[in-house]
């Protein structure tokens, strides 16, 4: 194939080098654009209000000049207002709630999807393909349409009482409706289908029941997929905003996203304390990034096969 | 054995199906029902006074619903195509440098794993009129300072800021999907193109795009659905006010939530339902349209 290019060998090489340089410049610009918001979040959280308001903005800040006061302020108890006696940003309360909701939802989702994926992948029954197609089609429906009735359902179940909601009711309201996922069922079904039939029949001959076969053979074999599902699903609670806001009667029952917006704006003057706001944003962002860098491969592999977020 | 399997299979499906019937199928059906209720007031009197179509006429003639439609459509029709083209170019660029691909891919994926509200707030600081980074950047090119998201910002500037944030937020997922789609394309096609000394843009137009077209269709449908239900991005960038001036950047979903939140007022829940059903029909229409239009042009 090289002969084709012999004539223009030189110009071909220059072109190739120029192209590679272009690619790196382009990707470099994209990298900067992707990172700037993170950088600005961190650097703003380390500035005093006077530094933040400086024109033109301070773009680089020497480590000596870093101010941790904004972070300290988040944990100071508030003297007045709706959060009286609590920290300005009750990070640990929100974090605890978020982790709890995340763990419960993930356990539920994993169990229901494993069972359903097994039925769709291994068992034959009347209406299987129709049911599967109907379930898949729900993925195209904007979830906002369900929320109206789900709120009423949660209310009728007694989980949302504006005056006397208990913590466990709030947790039930935030977890039960999300304990299943069509996409993860679909994803897991694909993995289950790759496990050879012979294994199933051999196990049958040995007198293994379906249920034993599922837990002792299929689940261990499909573990990488299940781990991906667990990780992706647990990250969901970090982004949940509207539903937790809707079904919780008390601020102390809510999740990290809920406490971020509005908490740092003085209602009488309308001024926002950007330093504290960005410090809170950093606190919320860091745990997610830690999870991401720990499970980078599983997360990226899972997402590259998916099409859903929120 | 077949028969035995029948009831057993339903047993395995039961947990999922029960949850889906209660929290997805029934609510879908019920949203239509509520949207036709007359004088409905859910938590106080659980019964409606009758059936009416006026909820829809109220919503469709509502000033804020029209504003919400305009904002949502502009956002979807600009940000979806722009982010698809951009992420395709980035994915192709990534594929041409296999050695460092993984590094860039990880960096570009970061927006996906972050809290949208937290990053939205960071964008709000960047777009600040007086001391924001964005105006400082424009200043290098001699462009004067504008208000992008504050109370004096024009509609055009606000939607521009919202689009920049939306595109930034949505690139991560698309780059990853397109990049992994590209690695699945048979190398033979590219070798053949090399022999024909085809230019890079020809290769992109004649090989890459056609072979990725099923994936591009899938991504454009899902991101269209995502863009039509924009809400968190508005909260992140503008807060509960939903705009520089209240409700400047209202979206269809924000409209639904505003009326839902006032469920104590007679009929408001039905307005919310009528708006939600409208959104559902719009989504359905665009998904179907994209599927039909592309059917002729997709190479499987």
């Amino acid at each position: 194939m090289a002969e084709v290019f012999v004539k223009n060998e030189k110009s071909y090489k220059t072109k190739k080098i120029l192209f590679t340089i272009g690619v790196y410049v382009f990707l470099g610009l994209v990298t900067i654009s992707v990172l700037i918001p993170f950088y600005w979040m961190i650097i703003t959280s380390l500035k005093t209000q006077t530094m933040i308001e400086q024109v033109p903005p301070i773009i680089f800040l020497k480590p000596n000049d870093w101010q941790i006061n904004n972070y300290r302020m988040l944990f100071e108890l508030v003297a007045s207002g709706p959060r009286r006696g609590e920290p300005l940003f009750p990070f640990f309360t929100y974090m605890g709630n978020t982790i709890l909701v995340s763990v419960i939802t993930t356990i539920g989702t994993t169990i229901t999807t494993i069972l359903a994926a097994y039925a769709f992948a291994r068992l034959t029954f009347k209406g299987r393909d129709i049911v599967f197609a109907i379930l898949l089609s729900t993925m195209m429906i904007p979830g906002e349409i369900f929320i109206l009735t789900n709120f009423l359902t949660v209310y009728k179940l007694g989980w949302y009482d504006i005056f006397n909601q208990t913590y466990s009711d709030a947790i039930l309201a935030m977890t039960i409706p999300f304990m299943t996922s069509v996409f993860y069922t679909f994803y897991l079904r694909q993995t289950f289908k790759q496990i050879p039939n012979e294994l199933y029949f051999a196990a049958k001959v040995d007198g293994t029941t379906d249920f034993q076969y599922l837990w002792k053979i299929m689940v261990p074999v499909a573990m990488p997929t299940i781990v991906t599902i667990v990780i992706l699903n647990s990250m969901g609670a970090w982004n949940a905003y509207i539903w937790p806001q809707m079904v919780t009667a008390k601020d102390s029952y809510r999740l990290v996203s809920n406490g971020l917006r509005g908490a740092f704006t003085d209602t009488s003057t309308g001024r926002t304390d950007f330093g504290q706001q960005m410090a809170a944003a950093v606190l919320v962002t860091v745990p997610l990034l830690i999870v991401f860098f720990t499970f980078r491969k599983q997360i990226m592999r899972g997402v590259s096969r998916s099409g859903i977020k929120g | 054995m077949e028969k035995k399997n029948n009831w057993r299979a339903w047993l395995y499906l039961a947990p999922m199906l029960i949850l889906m019937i209660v929290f997805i199928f029934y609510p879908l059906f019920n949203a239509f029902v509520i949207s036709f209720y007359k004088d409905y007031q859910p938590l106080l009197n659980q019964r409606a006074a009758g059936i009416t179509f006026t909820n829809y006429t109220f919503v469709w003639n509502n000033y804020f619903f029209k504003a919400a439609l305009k904002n949502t459509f502009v956002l979807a029709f600009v940000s979806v195509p722009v982010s698809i083209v951009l992420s395709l170019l980035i994915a192709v660029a990534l594929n041409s440098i296999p050695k460092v691909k993984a590094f860039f891919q990880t960096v570009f994926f970061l927006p996906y794993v972050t809290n949208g509200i937290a990053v939205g707030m960071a964008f709000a600081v960047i777009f600040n009129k007086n001391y924001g980074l964005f105006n400082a950047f424009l200043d290098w090119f001699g462009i004067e300072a504008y208000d992008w998201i504050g109370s004096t910002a024009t509609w055009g500037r606000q939607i521009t800021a919202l689009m920049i944030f939306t595109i930034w937020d949505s690139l991560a997922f698309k780059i990853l999907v397109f990049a992994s789609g590209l690695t699945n394309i048979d190398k033979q096609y590219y070798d053949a193109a090399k022999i024909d000394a085809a230019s890079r843009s020809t290769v992109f137009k004649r090989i890459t795009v056609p072979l990725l077209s099923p994936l591009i269709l899938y991504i454009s449908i899902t991101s269209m659905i995502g863009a039509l239900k924009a809400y968190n991005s508005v909260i992140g960038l503008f807060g509960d006010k939903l705009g520089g001036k209240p409700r400047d950047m209202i979206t269809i979903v924000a409209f639904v939530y505003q009326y839902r939140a006032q469920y104590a007022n007679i009929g408001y829940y039905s307005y919310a339902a009528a708006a939600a059903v409208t959104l559902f029909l719009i989504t359905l229409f665009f998904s179907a349209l994209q599927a039909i239009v592309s059917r002729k042009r997709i190479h499987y």
Side-chain angles (χ1 to χ4, degrees):
Chain A
M1 205 163 53
E3 301 90 82
V4 182
F5 299 107
V6 164
K7 247 194 271 169
N8 297 317
E9 182 79 13
K10 219 173 181 181
S11 79
Y12 173 73
K13 263 193 178 156
T14 351
K15 254 188 183 174
K16 198 173 175 190
I17 290 167
L18 279 177
F19 179 79
T20 314
I21 292 172
V23 164
Y24 276 101
V25 169
F26 174 59
L27 293 179
L29 287 176
V30 177
T31 307
I32 292 171
S33 325
V34 166
L35 293 180
I36 277 180
F38 295 107
Y39 177 71
W40 208 246
M41 187 194 280
I42 295 167
I43 200 145
T44 307
S45 76
L46 297 169
K47 288 178 182 175
T48 61
Q49 191 66 20
T50 352
M51 288 159 123
I52 292 172
E53 287 175 11
Q54 202 158 308
V55 181
I58 306 169
I59 294 175
F60 301 105
L61 204 58
K62 277 180 277 161
N64 291 344
D65 297 336
W66 290 358
Q67 309 288 323
I68 54 157
N69 199 39
N70 290 322
Y71 290 90
R72 201 180 294 146
M73 286 301 287
L74 295 182
F75 298 98
E76 294 265 289
L77 302 186
V78 185
S80 63
R83 273 188 196 156
R84 199 156 57 91
E86 281 176 69
L88 175 64
F89 182 64
F91 176 67
F92 292 110
T93 311
Y94 288 142
M95 196 66 175
N97 298 342
T98 310
I99 292 172
L100 186 62
V101 166
S102 166
V103 167
I104 296 174
T105 317
T106 304
I107 292 173
T109 307
T110 314
I111 294 172
T112 59
T113 46
I114 287 177
L115 293 174
Y118 178 68
F120 284 125
R122 181 59 67 222
L123 305 176
T124 43
F125 57 96
K126 241 189 207 150
R128 182 180 68 178
D129 297 338
I130 297 165
V131 172
F132 194 61
I134 291 172
L135 293 190
L136 275 185
S137 68
T138 63
M139 279 169 54
M140 292 294 191
I141 302 169
E144 283 66 22
I145 200 166
F146 313 134
I147 272 181
L148 296 169
T149 303
N150 286 349
F151 174 71
L152 301 180
T153 307
V154 160
Y155 176 78
K156 279 179 208 155
L157 288 168
W159 296 340
Y160 179 73
D161 181 330
I162 305 160
F163 303 108
N164 312 301
Q165 190 185 34
T166 63
Y167 186 59
S168 55
D169 283 343
I171 296 294
L172 283 174
M174 284 190 277
T175 51
I176 301 287
F178 303 101
M179 281 202 179
T180 191
S181 156
V182 174
F183 174 71
Y184 296 145
T185 307
F186 175 70
Y187 183 29
L188 195 54
R189 170 180 167 269
Q190 301 300 97
T191 310
F192 279 168
K193 278 198 144 187
Q194 287 164 11
I195 300 168
N197 270 328
E198 287 74 15
L199 222 57
Y200 177 68
F201 295 121
K204 276 267 156 179
V205 172
D206 291 344
T208 316
T209 65
D210 274 333
F211 196 67
Q212 282 172 328
Y213 177 72
L214 170 61
W215 290 109
K216 295 227 171 104
I217 295 170
M218 292 193 97
V219 168
V221 171
M223 218 22 146
T225 307
I226 294 172
V227 169
T228 303
I229 291 174
V230 166
I231 298 165
L232 288 180
N233 197 73
S234 3
M235 286 173 24
W238 257 264
N239 283 310
Y241 176 77
I242 191 74
W243 181 254
Q245 187 95 339
M246 220 178 253
V247 299
T248 48
K250 279 190 198 149
D251 184 53
S252 59
Y253 296 167
R254 294 188 176 150
L255 309 186
V256 281
S257 292
N258 303 120
L260 278 176
R261 250 305 175 188
F264 308 97
T265 305
D266 190 320
T267 39
S268 53
T269 61
R271 271 172 66 94
T272 303
D273 192 318
F274 286 127
Q276 292 172 8
Q277 198 191 39
M278 287 301 103
V282 169
L283 285 186
V284 170
T285 307
V286 164
L288 271 175
L289 290 183
I290 292 174
V291 172
F292 173 60
F293 284 111
T294 316
F295 301 104
R296 194 175 59 87
K297 273 197 183 132
Q298 287 93 329
I299 291 173
M300 290 180 71
R301 189 186 52 209
V303 172
S304 72
R305 285 180 204 167
S306 86
I308 47 154
K309 190 199 179 184
Chain B
M1 177 139 172
E2 271 296 305
K3 220 179 170 190
K4 211 167 130 200
N5 253 351
N6 245 326
W7 68 261
R8 189 171 288 168
W10 290 106
L11 209 62
Y12 281 101
L13 284 180
M16 184 190 197
L17 285 185
I18 291 168
L19 282 169
M20 288 199 63
I21 288 166
V22 176
F23 295 110
I24 289 186
F25 292 112
Y26 162 65
L28 178 62
F29 165 77
N30 199 41
F32 280 88
V33 175
I34 294 176
S35 74
F36 289 108
Y37 275 165
K38 192 167 176 255
D39 298 341
Y40 183 51
Q41 211 177 356
L43 304 192
L44 300 173
N45 62 331
Q46 293 285 348
R47 290 218 166 158
I51 296 296
T52 175
F53 194 73
T54 52
N55 298 320
Y56 284 94
T57 48
F58 171 85
V59 167
W60 293 342
N61 289 314
N62 185 292
Y63 170 78
F64 285 113
F65 189 73
K66 287 181 193 163
L69 274 182
K70 181 181 164 197
N71 290 339
T72 311
F73 281 162
V74 171
L75 193 62
F77 286 114
V78 178
S79 71
V80 171
V82 169
S83 63
I84 286 181
V85 171
L86 252 179
S87 51
L88 255 179
L89 289 176
I90 295 170
V92 171
L94 278 176
N95 240 35
S96 69
I97 44 163
K99 276 177 206 159
V100 282
K101 185 181 166 188
F103 166 76
F104 281 113
Q105 219 168 16
T106 306
V107 173
F108 297 165
F109 193 66
L110 287 176
Y112 187 88
V113 283
T114 44
N115 182 297
I117 307 248
V119 185
M121 293 187 332
F123 268 91
V125 180
I126 289 172
F127 281 121
N128 185 285
K129 182 191 173 192
N130 301 314
Y131 37 85
L133 186 63
F134 194 67
N135 273 339
F137 171 72
L138 293 181
D139 191 48
W140 297 346
F141 299 96
I143 300 169
E144 59 175 308
Y146 289 125
D147 188 2
W148 294 94
I149 53 169
S151 54
T152 58
T154 58
W155 179 85
R157 300 221 174 87
Q158 292 183 55
I159 199 104
T160 308
L162 186 58
M163 277 192 285
I164 292 175
F165 173 42
T166 307
I167 292 168
W168 181 91
D169 198 39
S170 63
L171 278 181
F173 171 66
K174 298 190 183 93
I175 295 171
L176 182 65
V177 173
F178 285 143
S180 55
L182 281 175
T183 50
N184 290 335
I185 292 180
D186 199 330
K187 281 218 55 113
Q188 283 183 5
Y189 294 108
Y190 292 107
D191 291 340
K194 252 186 199 166
I195 292 171
D196 292 344
S199 73
R200 283 180 199 279
S201 60
T202 313
V203 172
F204 182 73
K205 271 186 285 189
R206 294 282 162 80
I207 298 178
T208 309
V209 172
L211 285 174
L212 272 188
S213 54
L215 203 56
I216 296 173
L217 169 70
Y218 171 70
I219 290 293
S220 46
I221 290 179
T222 50
S223 33
M224 196 64 174
I225 296 174
L228 287 172
K229 43 184 220 180
Y231 176 71
N232 276 15
S233 52
V234 182
I235 293 286
L237 200 51
F238 296 97
D240 288 334
K241 283 193 300 163
L242 302 170
K245 285 187 293 298
R247 293 189 285 271
D248 270 353
M249 286 294 112
I250 192 171
T251 60
I252 304 177
V253 168
F255 182 93
V256 172
Y257 290 156
Q258 288 224 319
Y259 277 94
R260 187 223 67 94
Q262 303 181 49
Y263 52 77
N265 296 340
I266 294 174
Y268 277 37
Y269 220 78
S270 298
Y271 298 151
V277 169
T278 309
L279 172 67
F280 171 64
L281 297 176
I282 292 171
T283 321
L284 213 63
F285 173 76
F286 281 115
S287 312
L289 189 73
Q290 267 166 317
I292 293 167
V293 169
S294 335
R295 185 159 291 168
K296 291 180 194 138
R297 312 195 51 185
I298 296 271
H299 307 253
Y300 286 100

